[in-house]
Amino acid sequence: MPTAVIIIDLMGLVLIVLGFHLAFRQDLVRRWCPVLRHESQAPAHLQPLTDEDHARYAMRISGVMILAFGVAITLLFTLSHLR
């Protein structure tokens, strides 16, 4: 297998792991990035005015999109090489 395919497969794997964590392991991602912390964990001046957590939905949507892109790019490059 050429090194380009291996590098793209590794990048796709990183995207898959990142997307999975963004979509389904949000507590871990919130510990990594202080901007995304929920209002109970955030400092008083960063707390939102409502009780809803809008970052949860944005993280879930973006995580699934990144995960799907990682799967698609990995499959397309690997399968086109094996063809």
Side-chain angles (χ1 to χ4, degrees), residues 4-37:
V5 176
I6 293 172
I7 290 171
I8 291 174
D9 284 348
L10 290 175
M11 287 178 16
L13 182 64
V14 168
L15 288 174
I16 291 169
V17 170
L18 177 68
F20 177 80
H21 279 73
L22 273 173
F24 304 113
R25 302 281 182 159
Q26 293 182 359
D27 295 337
L28 182 64
V29 176
R30 286 177 192 266
R31 277 186 264 145
W32 290 342
C33 184
V35 177
L36 297 173
R37 290 192 180 148

Side-chain angles (χ1 to χ4, degrees), residues 45-58:
H45 68 280
L46 294 176
Q47 289 184 0
L49 298 176
T50 63
D51 291 336
E52 297 179 11
D53 184 18
H54 299 291
R56 176 179 44 168
Y57 302 113

Side-chain angles (χ1 to χ4, degrees), residues 22 30 42 44 60 74-75 78-79:
L22 273 173
R30 286 177 192 266
R60 188 167 291 162
T74 303
L75 282 175
T78 305
L79 292 176

